[in-house]
Amino acid sequence: MDMHGELIWNGPEGHGFGFGKQEYLDEDVLVWWNGTTYPEPIGRGNGAVYMLNRHYEQIHETTLAGNFVEHVPNATFPSNIDLHEIYITEQGTMIVTGNNVTQTDLASVGGPSDGWVVEAQVYEIDIATNDVLFSWKSLDHLDALPFTSSVYPLGSEGYTGENQSLAWGYFHINSASPYDGGYVLSSRFLCSAIAISGSGDVKWVLHGREEDDFTHNPGTEFCYQHDIRAFPKQPSQTNTSVIELHMHDNANSPIENNTIPTSGKSLVVDLSAKNVTLQTQYLNTSGPIYATAQGNYQPLPNGNVFLGHGWIPIFEEFSPEGEILSTIQFGHAGTLPPEEAGGYESLPRSETALSYRAFKQEWIGCPRTKPDVVVERQQQQQQWTRESHWEGGAGGGVTVYVSWNGATEVDAWEIYGGAGGEGDSSHGGREENKLSHLTTVPKTGFESSAPIDDESVEVVQVKPVMKKRRRQQQGQDDGRREKGSKEIEWGCECEVVRSELITV
C-alpha cells in the first residue's frame, strides 16, 4: 500500500511472510515466503521463497530439499525453508533458516535421555541453482549454546520433549544475516545474538538476560527479540571491533507478557573491550506495545527507524533520536486499561491481523497485464438483443472505472470512446484510432472513476498517462559531464499498456 493506505498491488496468493523489496543482482525484486505454517506456540513453517521482477513475473523459486522431520509424524514437504528469514546477498545468494525435529539427550534440563527437540538451522543457498553453499545446526554447538540457556523451560506450553509431537523448541531461530565473513543469528528463546564464522564456529554470544563475557550498561537488556542485524560502527574504517546491533526487542512472549514494552534498540558493542552500550531506544511511551511474537527493525535512508510489531497490527516510525513520528494501525489490537499504563497487547491469532515484518520502501511496479476497466450506464434504460448489442440508442452517459493492479507509475487516465457497430465486442473489434478522446482524469487511489456525459458512447478504451522521473543528463563517452548539463525529464521506466476495448 502507499503512504495514504491505498492499495497498490493485490497479491501474492497464499502466505506472504517476509514480503518486501530486496535487490538481486542489481535488480529490485519482490520476495516472500509461502508454505505450510504451524502457528504459535510452534511458530515455524516449511516452504519456499518466491521472487518477482518489477513486472510481477516470477523469476525464481528458492527451495530447500531434504529429509526434514516435523512435529507431525510422517509429514513431508517439497521445500523446507522456514518462514523467518529471507536475506539476499550481493553475491546472488539467499540466507534462510530451517528447523528439524530430532532426538537428543535432555538430561541437563531434567528431560529424557532420548528426548525430542527442534534443532535450529541456517542455510545459504545459491539463488540461480538452488545449491546449498553453507549450513549450520544448533545441536552441533551445545558447548557454546547449551539447553540450560533457554528461557523457554522444558515443558512450557506442554512441550515436554517426550515424543515427536511434543518436541521442545528451546532455540527458536528467527533471523540470520551476513556479518564479518560469517553470520549473525537471533535466537528468540536463548535471548541472544550469536555470531558465527564462515565455517560455522560460534565466535561470540551476546545474551540479553544471562551473564556473558560482556559488560552490559543500562538499557542493553533484551529478550524474545527478532530481526537482529550487525553493522560496523564506522563502515569507512577497517576497525570492525566496534559494531552496531539493531533489533526488534519484543520483551514479551506467550509465557511472559504485558510487563516490559516492546521497542526497537540500537546497541553499540565493543568486541575488544567487551562492552555493550545502548545507543538509541525506539519506544512510544504514550502508546506502549507488548508484542508477544514477530516484528522487525528497519533503518531508513534518512536516518529514521521503521518498526513493524508483528503480532500487533501497528507500524511506527521514529526520528534518529527516538521521537515518535507516525503510527499506522491496520487491524484490531487489544488495548490495556489506563490504570495499567495503557497501550496495546497481543490478541489470539483468530481475533487480529498481523504482518510478520513490515517495510517502508520505494517500489516501481510495471505490470504487463492490461488495466481493468468496468463501464456502467448512468441510466438504466437499455434494451439488449440476443447478441448483446444496443438496440434503439443508449439513453444516458456512462461512468468508467479503471484500476491497474501493481502499477505505481500512473499519473492519470485518458478515456477514449465512440459509437458501437456491427462486429464490436467487449474485448476488441474496433481500432483505437477511431475512438475520440473523451476526458483525462487524475489517478486517485487504487481505482479511479470518470463520468462521461455522452449518450452516444458505446465503446470505451483507457490509456494510462505515465509519470515522468528525473535524472542527470549524461556526459560524454569519457564519463565527464557536458558543460552546463542539467537535470532533465525522461520517460517512464514502464510500458504504456492500453486496456481492452469495452463495449458498454
Side-chain angles (χ1 to χ4, degrees):
M1 64 181 180
D2 65 18
M3 291 307 296
H4 303 288
E6 290 284 351
L7 179 66
I8 294 175
W9 182 55
N10 184 20
E13 296 182 357
H15 300 293
F17 280 84
F19 177 79
K21 183 190 80 171
Q22 295 197 39
E23 189 173 294
Y24 173 61
L25 302 181
D26 298 323
E27 178 184 2
D28 286 345
V29 295
L30 294 177
V31 294
W32 74 92
W33 179 98
N34 187 28
T36 300
T37 60
Y38 297 107
E40 290 283 328
I42 296 171
R44 58 181 183 268
N46 298 71
V49 176
Y50 299 86
M51 183 187 299
L52 303 184
N53 61 20
R54 68 173 52 189
H55 306 298
Y56 302 95
E57 300 163 339
Q58 183 173 313
I59 56 175
H60 287 290
E61 178 183 349
T62 304
T63 58
L64 178 63
N67 297 319
F68 287 69
V69 178
E70 253 302 342
H71 71 292
V72 179
N74 302 317
T76 59
F77 309 92
S79 178
N80 297 279
I81 294 175
D82 180 36
L83 55 81
H84 281 98
E85 185 61 270
I86 306 169
Y87 192 105
I88 298 177
T89 71
E90 295 179 353
Q91 292 71 40
T93 65
M94 184 182 293
I95 301 170
V96 299
T97 57
N99 298 281
N100 190 55
V101 172
T102 188
Q103 288 184 278
T104 192
D105 188 353
L106 296 179
S108 62
V109 287
S113 59
D114 58 351
W116 291 82
V117 298
V118 183
E119 179 181 60
Q121 302 180 348
V122 177
Y123 295 90
E124 185 167 358
I125 300 172
D126 184 275
I127 294 173
T129 64
N130 269 333
D131 291 338
V132 174
L133 307 179
F134 172 85
S135 63
W136 182 90
K137 300 178 179 180
S138 63
L139 292 183
D140 294 337
H141 303 277
L142 289 176
D143 54 337
L145 305 167
F147 293 137
T148 53
S149 292
S150 180
V151 300
Y152 188 72
L154 181 65
S156 295
E157 300 180 282
Y159 291 94
T160 61
E162 296 175 358
N163 56 51
Q164 181 179 345
S165 299
L166 299 177
W168 178 41
Y170 78 101
F171 193 105
H172 197 109
I173 190 166
N174 57 33
S175 75
S177 58
Y179 163 68
D180 194 25
Y183 309 86
V184 63
L185 319 179
S186 171
S187 168
R188 180 187 184 191
F189 289 148
L190 297 187
C191 297
S192 297
I194 302 159
I196 62 176
S197 68
S199 59
D201 297 325
V202 176
K203 297 170 64 175
W204 50 261
V205 180
L206 180 67
H207 290 283
R209 282 192 177 176
E210 285 191 353
E211 291 186 3
D212 54 25
D213 296 332
F214 293 86
T215 299
H216 289 254
N217 289 297
T220 60
E221 66 282 349
F222 61 90
C223 201
Y224 308 118
Q225 76 292 332
H226 286 71
D227 196 27
I228 286 181
R229 301 287 190 252
F231 307 90
K233 176 64 176 170
Q234 299 292 338
S236 61
Q237 299 181 5
T238 57
N239 179 18
T240 59
S241 65
V242 181
I243 64 172
E244 287 187 37
L245 212 60
H246 299 166
M247 70 179 70
H248 181 266
D249 179 19
N250 292 71
N252 292 263
S253 76
I255 63 171
E256 181 182 357
N257 53 69
N258 296 356
T259 301
I260 302 173
T262 298
S263 65
K265 284 187 176 178
S266 173
L267 307 180
V268 176
V269 182
D270 189 326
L271 299 172
S272 296
K274 297 293 184 181
N275 187 279
V276 187
T277 304
L278 176 66
Q279 180 167 259
T280 312
Q281 183 177 22
Y282 302 93
L283 170 65
N284 181 8
T285 55
S286 64
I289 286 172
Y290 300 86
T292 59
Q294 309 182 4
N296 69 299
Y297 176 121
Q298 181 195 7
L300 298 178
N302 63 358
N304 291 352
V305 170
F306 188 74
L307 299 182
H309 289 297
W311 205 268
I312 294 180
I314 291 176
F315 311 144
E316 295 179 312
E317 184 171 347
F318 295 84
S319 72
E321 297 74 30
E323 177 187 0
I324 185 70
L325 301 176
S326 63
T327 299
I328 303 147
Q329 184 171 342
F330 63 96
H332 175 53
T335 55
L336 293 168
E339 57 269 22
E340 296 180 18
Y344 301 93
E345 65 175 342
S346 297
L347 294 173
R349 176 68 185 89
S350 61
E351 298 178 21
T352 188
L354 61 83
S355 179
Y356 170 60
R357 289 177 177 173
F359 303 100
K360 183 179 181 181
Q361 300 171 310
E362 291 188 2
W363 169 250
I364 296 177
C366 306
R368 287 177 169 154
T369 57
K370 294 179 182 294
D372 292 304
V373 176
V374 172
V375 184
E376 291 183 345
R377 282 286 171 192
Q378 294 173 359
Q379 296 181 12
Q380 303 298 320
Q381 297 178 358
Q382 306 98 314
Q383 291 183 345
W384 298 85
T385 68
R386 291 182 180 177
E387 293 79 19
S388 296
H389 293 156
W390 287 104
E391 198 169 78
V398 299
T399 301
V400 179
Y401 301 91
V402 56
S403 63
W404 197 6
N405 193 30
T408 63
E409 303 304 288
V410 178
D411 255 346
W413 300 102
E414 293 179 348
I415 314 297
Y416 295 85
E422 293 298 324
D424 290 342
S425 68
S426 62
H427 296 291
R430 173 170 292 273
E431 296 181 9
E432 185 267 337
N433 59 15
K434 293 183 179 179
L435 302 178
S436 301
H437 178 255
L438 302 176
T439 187
T440 298
V441 295
K443 182 179 184 292
T444 54
F446 183 74
E447 182 181 76
S448 303
S449 62
I452 307 296
D453 189 19
D454 187 341
E455 296 182 359
S456 67
V457 173
E458 297 178 3
V459 177
V460 170
Q461 188 175 46
V462 178
K463 175 184 174 182
V465 178
M466 310 305 282
K467 296 177 182 177
K468 294 183 182 295
R469 293 184 176 267
R470 302 178 70 88
R471 68 176 181 181
Q472 283 190 340
Q473 183 175 348
Q474 297 298 313
Q476 299 173 343
D477 292 342
D478 61 1
R480 294 176 298 176
R481 290 187 59 191
E482 296 179 1
K483 185 177 180 179
S485 64
K486 300 178 181 179
E487 283 195 334
I488 59 172
E489 287 190 342
W490 66 297
C492 180
E493 298 181 36
C494 303
E495 300 175 40
V496 173
V497 181
R498 293 175 174 84
S499 75
E500 298 279 6
L501 289 165
I502 306 298
T503 299
V504 183

